[in-house]
Amino acid sequence: MHFRILRLLQANPEMSQREMSDALGVSLGGVNYCLKALLEKGLVKLGNFSAAPDKRRYAYILTRKGVLEKARLTRRFLKRKMAEYEALKAEIETVRAEMDIDAELAPQPSRDA
């Protein structure tokens, strides 16, 4: 969840918590909880969103530490997804080979018909 929020905030620091909740498909409370954790860890800081008509609105800005953590999480995410991809590719090849064997062993239609 932290990785997904950091990705969103890097691209859209002006996103509200409600917009993040909708984009991530999680509860508003869940987003709030994660944002508080990111703030406490120093990965995100609050800044005023100057273009907003409501001056109480904030921008969530990644700190240098936050950018580094996002990069670390991205590497870990890619490593895990590449391993999943390789396993899925091997399984597809196995199933294709089984289908080829099954097709060879299946009774052939009679040519006399």
Side-chain angles (χ1 to χ4, degrees):
M1 178 62 76
H2 288 180
F3 171 65
R4 293 169 63 201
I5 289 177
L6 289 172
R7 280 184 66 200
L8 266 180
L9 290 179
Q10 189 167 34
N12 308 292
E14 74 285 352
M15 277 188 110
S16 70
Q17 289 185 24
R18 187 167 307 283
E19 290 168 334
M20 283 184 243
S21 171
D22 291 342
L24 298 170
V26 298
S27 71
L28 182 57
V31 167
N32 183 274
Y33 179 82
C34 285
L35 276 174
K36 283 183 180 180
L38 292 171
L39 286 162
E40 287 174 11
K41 290 179 179 183
L43 302 179
V44 173
K45 66 181 179 179
L46 284 176
N48 282 25
F49 182 49
S50 57
D54 180 359
K55 295 302 177 195
R56 294 172 297 173
R57 188 142 180 216
Y58 294 102
Y60 297 96
I61 302 162
L62 269 63
T63 62
R64 176 168 165 67
K65 186 177 174 183
V67 171
L68 293 172
E69 178 66 5
K70 181 187 162 285
R72 186 186 71 76
L73 291 171
T74 299
R75 281 191 299 278
R76 201 169 88 193
F77 173 83
L78 283 174
K79 184 177 179 181
R80 187 177 68 245
K81 290 301 176 183
M82 289 303 295
E84 289 174 12
Y85 169 75
E86 292 300 327
L88 182 58
K89 198 164 83 170
E91 187 174 354
I92 288 170
E93 289 305 315
T94 300
V95 170
R96 280 187 176 152
E98 289 172 0
M99 286 175 54
D100 291 344
I101 290 170
D102 289 347
E104 288 175 13
L105 297 176
Q108 299 297 319
S110 172
R111 292 186 182 176
D112 296 336

